[in-house]
Amino acid sequence: MEKTKALLGAGCFWGVEEVFRKINGVIDTKVGYAGGNFPNPTYQDVCSGNTGHTEVVMLEFYSTIISYKKILDHYWLCHDPTQLNKQGPDIGTQYRSVIFYFADEQKNYAEESKKDFQKKLSNKIMTEIIKFSSFYLAEDYHQLYIKKKS
């Protein structure tokens, strides 16, 4: 089976990871930080708002079981993409809505998916679509946080 990756930011990574780890075809999730300009950031660094990083979830999935397009369908529903630099009570650029793409094909799917989902909403989608540049794994206590607390 072919493994594929997706990197998504949709607010606090704990809840996003919990949504995706339960989806059939998703074989691994890791939470971390992406899109910033500071090497090897810690949670405290990212929360300062000075690193440019976003809390993200790296998904590994079998594309023969769930397509990237279906991953994006779940993505739009697991957060409010119309909020700028926040999700609910979490405020700051580290909580922004963003899709990082690894290849032009993913970029094209993301842009098309965003256009399609926008048609269902009255408020403008604020989600960024950005080429992947770096991913830093979050501290161990953040990994599978909600599962560990259940």
Side-chain angles (χ1 to χ4, degrees):
M1 286 196 220
E2 185 178 334
K3 294 179 186 177
T4 305
K5 290 184 178 180
L7 186 61
L8 307 170
C12 177
F13 46 33
W14 295 341
V16 179
E17 180 184 39
E18 187 66 8
V19 167
F20 281 99
R21 75 170 193 83
K22 294 178 178 180
I23 296 172
N24 186 38
V26 173
I27 54 175
D28 193 29
T29 59
K30 297 280 188 239
V31 298
Y33 317 110
N37 54 19
F38 185 88
N40 300 307
T42 65
Y43 182 67
Q44 288 72 26
D45 293 331
V46 173
C47 287
S48 76
N50 297 322
T51 69
H53 289 92
T54 303
E55 290 190 15
V56 293
V57 179
M58 177 76 77
L59 308 172
E60 190 172 7
F61 59 97
Y62 289 126
S63 58
T64 53
I65 297 174
I66 185 166
S67 67
Y68 183 70
K69 185 175 177 347
K70 287 288 185 191
I71 291 288
L72 293 175
D73 290 345
H74 287 282
Y75 171 75
W76 297 118
L77 297 175
C78 79
H79 76 299
D80 181 352
T82 67
Q83 294 188 353
L84 180 62
N85 297 332
K86 68 177 195 164
Q87 282 298 302
D90 296 325
I91 298 172
T93 56
Q94 70 268 32
Y95 300 114
R96 71 186 182 267
S97 177
V98 58
I99 299 168
F100 291 94
Y101 63 89
F102 294 99
D104 287 342
E105 183 180 37
Q106 282 190 342
K107 178 184 179 186
N108 296 338
Y109 277 126
E111 289 173 346
E112 191 63 36
S113 179
K114 181 178 175 180
K115 282 184 209 170
D116 289 345
F117 198 69
Q118 181 63 71
K119 293 172 187 173
K120 300 174 184 178
L121 303 173
S122 55
N123 293 334
K124 182 180 179 195
I125 290 178
M126 305 306 289
T127 304
E128 299 172 74
I129 299 171
I130 301 172
K131 185 173 180 66
F132 171 80
S133 61
S134 64
F135 171 76
Y136 298 99
L137 197 61
E139 296 80 355
D140 284 345
Y141 71 92
H142 289 296
Q143 306 300 326
L144 301 171
Y145 184 85
I146 291 177
K147 181 181 180 188
K148 289 188 274 191
K149 295 295 180 186
S150 314

